[in-house]
Amino acid sequence: MMDNHSVTKKTKGQSLSHKSIPPAFLSSWTTLTLSNDQETHTVRKLDNPHTDHVLFHVDTCLSTMNLAWSLFETDHFPLWSSVLSDHQYQGRGQFNRLWISEPGNLYVTVRLPDLTKGQATAPLMTALAVNQALGRLGIDSEFKWPNDILVHRKKIGGILVEQRTGTVMAGIGVNLASAPSMSAMRDTSPLSPGFLGEWGFSLSPFDLWLTILDELLSLFAQLSDGMEWSVFITALEKAMAFKDEKIVFIPPQGPEFSAVLTGLSPEGGICLQTVDGEKTFLSGSILPVVH
Amino acid sequence: MKTFEDICKEIKGKKILVANRGIAARRISRTIRELLNATPVMTVTDVDKTAPFTAGAKELVLLGQNPRAYLDIDRIIEFAKKQGIAAIHPGWGFASEDSSFPDKCEKAGILFIGPTTDGMELLGNKVKVRDLARSLDIPVVPGSIGAVDVETARQVAIDMGLPVMLKAEGGGGGRGIYEVHDLEQLESAFSKASALAHASFGNPRLFVEKLLTSVRHIEIQTVADRYGNVFAFDERDCTVQRNHQKLVEITPSPWPKMTEELRTRLKDYSKKLVKAVGYYSLATVEFLVDDDLNVYLIEVNTRLQVEHGITESRYGIDLVEEQIAIAFGAELRFNEENTRPIAHAIQVRINCEDPRHGFTPNSGLITRYLSPGGPGIRVDSCISGGHEFPPYYDSAAALLIAYGREWNKTLATMERALNEYVIGGLKTTIPFHLRIIKNRIFRSGDYNTRFVSVTPELMYYKDLDPEALRLSRLTAEISARGFNPFVQLGEYRGLSDKRMPEFAPVLPSLPKTSADIIYPRKDRKALLDYVRDSGRIHFTDTTPRDITQSNSGNRFRLAEDIIVGPYLDRCGFFSIENGGGAHFHVALMANMTYPFNEARIWDQIAPTTLKQILVRSTNLLGYKPQPKNLMQLTGEMICEHHDIVRCFDFLNHVENMAPLAEVVMAAKGNVFEPAISLSWAKGFDVPHYMNVVDEIVAMIARISGLSVKKAQKDFILGLKDMAGVCPPRFISSLVAAIREKYPELVIHYHRHFTDGLFTPAVGAAAKAGAHIVDTAIGSSVRWYGQGEVLSTAAYIEEEMGLKTALNKDMIRTCNFVLKQIMPYYDRYTAPYFQGIDHDVISHGMPGGATSSSQEGAMKQGYIRLLPYMLRFLAGTRQIVRYHDVTPGSQITWNTAFLAVTGAFKRGGEDEVAHLLWVMESVAGVPDNRLSDDLKKERLILYKESNDAFRNLLLGKFGKMPLGFPPDWVYESTFGPDYRKHMAQRTEDSPLIALEKIDIQSETESLTAQIERTPTREELALYLNHPGDALKTIIFRHNFGNPNRLPLDVWFEGLTVGREMNFCDTDGKPHKMSIIDIGPVDPQGVSNVRYHLDDETFNHPVQVAEPVRGGVGGTEMADKSNPCHVASPSTGDLWVMYVKPGDTVVKGEELFNITIMKQEKAVISPMDGIVERVLKTADYKHDKHMTPVREGELLIVLGPIPKRCGKCHSPIKDESFKFCPACGAGL
C-alpha cells in the first residue's frame, strides 16, 4: 500500500550527536515530518560531505522502501537520493517477505535512474555495486542470483528493486552486527543467515552505504558512457555463487528440478545446464543441493 | 568384554536411528533388522517421507519442510530423545563426519555408532592425520605441513612445483578439492575453495598437496573395537574417478602391478594409524600409489563408505553389523583365521546424471524400473518405478555390485546386469558404465586416475530405449494425426478418413530347391561370356527401383522389398535393379532407411540374383559433384552389394564417367555399365550416338589398359531412354549399328513407358541385337516406369521369334504377392497426374518427373499455362540440346516454367502467347531465314532463366553433346555483358577442379552432431546428403527401424482398440494397442495412451501449433479505457491485492509483477470499485506465479455509484436501502 504522506514541518538543526550517524554528517541538517493516518516520521535530511546527493536518515520506520516512496511522492526524493534507517518494523524483502531488521545493520533505499537498457539493469547493477563495494572493504562476497549477497555461503544481504511508472527504487539490506537467529533455518530458507561481524569485519552502516553508493554511481556512469553491458555481466558472473555447481532450480511455473548453474545470460537471466539442454530463465530461485 | 551374542540380547527391540536418507538409510536399516533384531528408525524430510527407501524403517523421525534438515544435528538429537532412540547411525555424507556429533549424542545419552569425537578429529582432520602419519613414518602426499594462508600456499606451490591441489581440512569424500595448474589461478582458487569449504564443512581452512598425475587410488578398510583389536581388509581400488568423485570401485585391485607385498604394506600402515590413536569403529585409509609402487597417504575417512559393499561381498560379511556391535561394546569378531576373502567384487554407482552432457543431474518421475538380479548381483537402491526423484540431494539412485570367484566372470556378470537394468524417465549413468566395463584398457587393469578424462569414447554410446518402445512412440505419432508426417507426403489423410484393410498379404510358400536359372556372380568375365553366348534375351527387373520411383514416389519400403525379394530372386532375372537414382535419397529422406544397409539385406533375402544400381556420373548418389576421394569411398561401398553399376550423364560427357569407371573396373566381381542418355531429334542421330559409343569404349580401354577389341568384352553398354521418346525404328537402327561395329559388346536397353510404345520399342531393340532389357512385374506397372515383363517376353518370343528363359510361374506368384501390396502405395503415393502421354516425344519430360513437375505448376496456380510450358519445352529442346535425364530434365522444366510464368507476370496470357509464337518461329529455324525483328524478339526467351541453366550454358556440368548453343542464347540469358560470360565457358569435366574432401574433419563434425562414433555407412550417407542423413540418424535414434511397422500402420496409424503385432529388429514379438487418443489441448498436444506388451504408456504428440496468447487467447486491455488496468510488461504476477467488489482509491497498489527480479507495482488510476479480476496470484502463500503479457487486461474498474451521506463509504449496489458500513438510511 502506498503511503500518502504530507510534510508538516521543516526545521533546521544544529550539531548534535546521534548514536548511529557519524559526526561528519551532523554539521547541518534539516528535519521533515511526514505523516498520514498510520504513522509520523521525523526524517533527517543530512548534508552529505561526500556527495551532492540527498541523504535521509530515520531512527525507525515501517520500511525504507515505503519511506522512500513517500518522500518521492512529496517531491523530496530526486534521483540518487537515499534514506537509511536504523531499524525497520516491517522490512520488506522479495514478494513481501519480512526482512528482520534489528539495529546495527544497513537498511537503505536509493532512487536509481531508469535506464531501460535491458530491464535487468537495476537489480544486477545494484548487486554488482554491493559486491564490488564489499570487495573494496576487503570482504570477499558472492552473488546468489537473483538478489542475495553471500559471504562464506551465508546470506548476509539482499536487494529489492521496485518500480512504479518509470521510477526505480532499490532497497538494500546488509547484516553487519547481527543476523536473524537459526530458527530461520527451520523454514525452507536454503541458506543460513550470517552477518559480517561474525568474521571480524566491523563496519558502520553509513560507511558501507557510502561505499556502495560510490560504486553505484560509478557503474551507472560507465553504462551511460557507453560501456558494453556484457562487461558488467562478466564481472557479475565472476562473483556468482554456485557457478558450475549442481543446484535445484525453482522456476516460476512448474516443479523444481536439478541443474548445473552455468552463468548469466546477456539480459541478466540465469543459464542452466539441464538434461533437456541449456536453458535460460529470467525469474525463479536457486537452492543449493544438500550433501 | 561383550560378545556379539551379548549385544544381540542387549539391543533386541531397541530403536536405532539412521540419521541419513536414500541408499545409506535403507542399507543400514536392513542390518538393524537382521541378526541384531533392533528397530530401524529413519529421519525424513517432507520430500522423503514416502520415498521407496523408507520401506526399511519401522518408524520415521519427521524433520519437516527444509531439505537441509539432515544437517541439523541438535534438532535430530532432540527428536531422537523424544522418540526413545537408543543409538544413532550417521551413515555417510551429511553430518557423519561432523566431529561434534559423537559428543552431542553422548550428552544426550544416546549411543553414537561410529568413533568418538576425538577419534574423528584426530584421524578425520586431513591436516592432523598427515602430521600423525609423518610421525609414524607413513609417507604422505607431498604438500604443506598444515593449513596455510594464501601466501604460504603460493610459496608451497612454487617450491613443490605445479600442479597442486587445494584441499579442505574439514573435507573429504573428494569434495572441496581445487586443482591449480598455473600460479595466476592460485589466489582466486584459494578464496573460492575457502568459501566453499566453510560452507560445506564449517571449516574454511585449506592445505596444499602436490597433484600427482599417474597414480591409482587404493584404500584399506579397517575395523577396530574398543579393546584394541584391529582388522584390515584387502584393498579397494577406486581409481576410476571423475573430478575426484569415485565412479567404479573394485576389490581386490585389478592392477597388474599389485603385489602381496604392497597389500601387506598398505594394511600395516592402516593398522598403525588406527592403533596409534586408539580409534575404534570403521575407518578407511586412502592412499595414492604411483607407477613405481610408491605409496602416499591421502586421508582417513572415519565413517561407513559408499563402497563398503564390495568388501562385504569379497568376504561374505556385514560391516554395518560389526560397526553397530562394536559401538555397543562387542569384541571384534574378525581375525586372520576366520575372515578370508572368497570373491572378486566390483561396484558401479548408478546416478541420475547424463554423462554425455557434462554429467548434468536430472530429477523427476521414474517411469520404469526393472532391477537386475540373478547370481552374483547385489543391488542397494533408493528408487522404484513411479518415484519422483528429488533434485535436492545427491544424484545417487543405486549401487550395483557384481561378485564372483574369478575376475572375468565378475566383469561378465556386471555387464549382464547393466544390460538388464532399466531406469526409465531419467538419464542415468548405466550406459556409461557399460562403456567402461567393455573398454579394453579398463579390462586390462592398467590405468590411472585420469582414465575417464583421457577416454572420450566412453561418452560415445547410444542411450536408447528398447526398440519396441521407440517404435510404439512412432506409432503414436502417426496415430494421433491420422497420417504419417515423416514420410513427407503432406497431410494426405485425417483421423476420420476411411482406412485400408489391415495389411496381411497371403504369401505362397517358396520352393525348397534353388532357382533354375543362375547367372555367374562375382566373376565379370564369366557373366559377360554367359550373356554373350546364351543366344537369348535377358531381363532386368526394375520393380524395387525405377518402377516404384516413378509410380510410387519412391516410397516403396524395404519392408515390402523383403516380402517381394525372395520371389523376385527365383524368376530368372539377369539382375534386380534395387538401388540408386532418386531412390537412394528418398530412402533416407522419407523412409528413414539406410540405403547401403538396404542393399545388404537385399543380398540376404535374394542371394542368388545379381543386383543393379543406377548412379549419376558426377554426383554418384550425392547432391553435388564428388571429389575423387569421396567417389572412391562411395564407389567401393556401392560395389560391395551391387554387381552391376549403371552410370549415366545427361550430357553424355564421357569424361565425367571416368573416375567412377576406374573404381568399378578395378573390382573384378563387378560390371561397369556406362549408359548413353538418348533423345531423338535432329542432330541426335545414329552417327552422333556412335561417336559416343566410340568414346566410351576408348575410355574403358584406356582405364583397363586393354585394346579396344578386348575392352568391349569387359563391360556392358547401357542405352537409356528415360522419357520413352525414341521410336522403335530408331532404336532398331542404333542397336544394329552398335552390334556391327562392336559385335562382342553386351547391350542393355532401358526405356520408359510414357509414350505408349514400350513393347514394340523393346521388341525392336531385342531383334536388332540388344542382349538385356529392363521390365517390371505387372501389378506394379503404371504410366511412368518400365513396361510389363510377361507381355514383353511374349512379344519378344512370339512376334520377334527370339528365345527367353524366365521362370514364368514364379513371376506369376510374385505378381500375386505384389498385387496385395500395391493398393496401399496407389492410395497414398501415386502421382497426381497419370496416364499415357504420347506428346512426350515432343516435350521430352522424362517419366519420373512428368507428374511432379505438372503438379508443381498446378499447386502454384499455373495449371492454365501448362500447355504453353509443354510447347516451350518442345521448342527449347531444339535450341539448347541435351538429354532430359537428371539433372537436365529439371533444368529444362524450370527454364520453361520460369519463362512462361515470367511472361504471364509481365503481360498476362497475351504475353505468353507471344512468347510461344517467338519460340515456335525460331526453334529449329536457321539464322539466315530469320528476320531482324525476330532475331531481336528471340532474346526474351531465356531472360528469366535460373542459375542452373546459366551454369549449364557455361559448361559447368560438362561438355554439351552437340556443342555450345548459338551466341544469341547467351545474349538472351546473360544480358548485355554476355560476351564476358561466354569467355568463361569450358568444356572440361567439372570433376577435374574439385578439391578433395576432408573426410577426417567431416567425420569429426558428424561425431559431434550425433554424439557418438558414426558407422561407416552413416558417414558415407552424411557425405552424400548431410541434411537428410542427419535427419534419418536422429529419426532412427528416436523411433527405431520404421520398416518394422506394417504398411497400413505406416501410412494410417492405429485406431483405438485395434491390436498391432510386430517384431523388433532382434525378431522379438511385441503387441501394441491404443487405449485413447486424447483431444488436442491449447498447447496443441494430443496425448496418446497405449499398451505395449504388458505395460501402459503415455506419449504426447504435438499435432498442432499452440494457441498463442495475446491476440486470441488472452484478453487485452483497451488502452483508451480508463477503467482497464493492464499489465505493464510481460512477466509474472505474484500478488493480486484486490478482488471483485473491493473499493480502491486512486494511487492504491492493485497488484505487483516481477519482471527479471524487479518488482513492478501497479497502482489504481482512479477511485472505484473492482468489477473484474482476470488473473490472481499469492506467491507468498502458494509459491505460484501467473505469467502475464504486456498489455494484458488484469483488472476492470468501475465508478463508485454513490457514497453514504453519513460516513462517505461507497455504496456498491444501487439497490441498497441502508449503508452497509454505518447503517444509515440512504
Side-chain angles (χ1 to χ4, degrees), chain A residues 1-2 4 92-98 114 119-124 140 142 145-147 152-153 160-165 168 184-192 199 238-240 243 245-248 250 252-254 256-260 267-269 273-275 282-285 287-291, chain B residues 65-72 74-75 78 93-95 175 178 191-192 194-196 198-200 204 352-354 357-363 388-395 427 1129-1130 1132 1134-1135 1137 1145-1149 1152 1154-1163 1179-1180 1183-1187:
Chain A
M1 296 299 195
M2 207 186 85
N4 276 325
R92 207 159 93 205
Q94 264 201 306
F95 307 124
N96 278 348
R97 288 191 205 126
L98 184 64
D114 180 23
Q119 294 189 321
T121 311
L124 292 184
D140 257 334
E142 281 181 309
W145 187 92
N147 293 55
H152 287 151
R153 288 288 161 91
L160 172 67
V161 174
E162 198 180 78
Q163 202 193 88
R164 293 181 194 181
T165 46
V168 180
M185 211 181 98
R186 299 296 160 87
D187 63 32
T188 52
S189 148
L191 292 170
S192 316
W199 301 291
K238 281 211 183 86
M240 226 176 157
K243 186 156 178 299
E245 287 175 41
K246 179 183 159 179
I247 48 114
V248 183
I250 307 174
Q253 288 93 33
E256 30 251 53
F257 56 87
S258 273
V260 173
E267 312 85 30
Q273 168 82 306
T274 73
V275 256
L282 298 173
S283 57
S285 37
L287 295 180
V289 166
V290 190
H291 291 285
Chain B
Q65 238 190 340
N66 192 336
R68 299 174 65 78
Y70 292 107
L71 300 169
D72 193 345
D74 297 325
R75 192 154 163 268
E78 198 185 305
F94 293 120
R175 292 169 52 217
Y178 267 76
S191 62
K192 268 198 133 76
S194 180
L196 196 53
H198 197 177
S200 311
C352 293
E353 290 167 343
D354 186 356
H357 296 101
F359 289 83
T360 308
N362 57 163
S363 51
E388 190 78 39
F389 193 82
Y392 308 103
Y393 304 108
D394 71 19
S395 311
K427 295 262 186 278
S1129 9
T1130 300
D1132 295 295
W1134 62 270
V1135 63
Y1137 288 116
V1145 297
K1146 182 172 171 179
E1148 182 178 329
E1149 189 174 339
N1152 201 308
T1154 176
I1155 304 137
M1156 291 184 265
K1157 305 161 297 311
Q1158 281 188 104
E1159 299 186 359
K1160 268 203 180 155
V1162 174
I1163 55 183
Y1179 182 78
K1180 219 171 150 189
K1183 299 288 178 285
H1184 278 123
M1185 293 194 239
T1186 311

Side-chain angles (χ1 to χ4, degrees), chain A:
Chain A
M1 296 299 195
M2 207 186 85
D3 313 297
N4 276 325
H5 278 85
S6 56
V7 178
T8 56
K9 200 161 66 165
K10 278 190 183 186
T11 54
K12 193 136 166 79
Q14 313 83 354
S15 284
L16 48 71
S17 72
H18 188 286
K19 54 184 190 303
S20 64
I21 306 176
F25 288 83
L26 293 173
S27 53
S28 78
W29 49 284
T30 19
T31 41
L32 307 170
T33 311
L34 297 181
S35 57
N36 67 1
D37 332 310
Q38 293 160 338
E39 42 175 4
T40 302
H41 292 293
T42 303
V43 184
R44 289 174 205 91
K45 183 174 173 184
L46 305 176
D47 268 340
N48 188 345
H50 298 276
T51 153
D52 298 331
H53 301 297
V54 175
L55 184 58
F56 288 101
H57 173 270
V58 289
D59 293 335
T60 184
C61 62
L62 219 53
S63 80
T64 57
M65 178 66 76
N66 282 3
L67 190 49
W69 283 117
S70 306
L71 287 165
F72 170 72
E73 293 295 321
T74 52
D75 289 322
H76 286 95
F77 219 63
L79 219 49
W80 294 112
S81 304
S82 49
V83 56
L84 285 94
S85 181
D86 291 342
H87 166 269
Q88 303 181 113
Y89 285 109
Q90 262 184 42
R92 207 159 93 205
Q94 264 201 306
F95 307 124
N96 278 348
R97 288 191 205 126
L98 184 64
W99 185 271
I100 295 172
S101 309
E102 294 302 307
N105 296 329
L106 172 64
Y107 312 107
V108 63
T109 296
V110 59
R111 182 172 162 202
L112 298 176
D114 180 23
L115 299 164
T116 2
K117 189 191 180 107
Q119 294 189 321
T121 311
L124 292 184
M125 295 291 263
T126 312
L128 185 58
V130 175
N131 169 263
Q132 293 190 170
L134 287 172
R136 263 167 62 182
L137 295 166
I139 301 167
D140 257 334
S141 68
E142 281 181 309
F143 157 66
K144 174 177 159 298
W145 187 92
N147 293 55
D148 295 341
I149 312 293
L150 312 183
V151 171
H152 287 151
R153 288 288 161 91
K154 286 183 167 183
K155 179 166 170 176
I156 56 109
I159 296 163
L160 172 67
V161 174
E162 198 180 78
Q163 202 193 88
R164 293 181 194 181
T165 46
T167 306
V168 180
M169 298 285 194
I172 303 168
V174 180
N175 296 341
L176 303 170
S178 69
S181 68
M182 280 298 267
S183 57
M185 211 181 98
R186 299 296 160 87
D187 63 32
T188 52
S189 148
L191 292 170
S192 316
F195 60 98
L196 292 176
E198 67 178 283
W199 301 291
F201 297 113
S202 127
L203 279 175
S204 86
F206 262 86
D207 287 335
L208 179 55
W209 171 235
L210 292 173
T211 317
I212 296 175
L213 181 59
D214 204 44
E215 285 295 321
L216 269 173
L217 289 164
S218 159
L219 289 175
F220 272 83
Q222 288 172 47
L223 192 61
S224 46
D225 278 346
M227 172 84 85
E228 285 290 315
W229 177 235
S230 55
V231 175
F232 300 110
I233 293 282
T234 312
L236 202 48
E237 231 182 34
K238 281 211 183 86
M240 226 176 157
F242 305 112
K243 186 156 178 299
D244 299 324
E245 287 175 41
K246 179 183 159 179
I247 48 114
V248 183
F249 186 73
I250 307 174
Q253 288 93 33
E256 30 251 53
F257 56 87
S258 273
V260 173
L261 198 162
T262 53
L264 281 177
S265 77
E267 312 85 30
I270 193 166
C271 296
L272 300 175
Q273 168 82 306
T274 73
V275 256
D276 298 320
E278 285 265 348
K279 288 199 174 155
T280 303
F281 286 87
L282 298 173
S283 57
S285 37
I286 298 172
L287 295 180
V289 166
V290 190
H291 291 285

Side-chain angles (χ1 to χ4, degrees), chain B residues 729-749:
Chain B
R729 65 190 181 284
F730 177 77
I731 198 66
S732 189
S733 46
L734 177 59
V735 171
I738 299 173
R739 288 306 311 271
E740 196 189 331
K741 190 162 183 189
Y742 298 102
E744 310 269 22
L745 180 54
V746 173
I747 298 176
H748 192 156
Y749 182 49

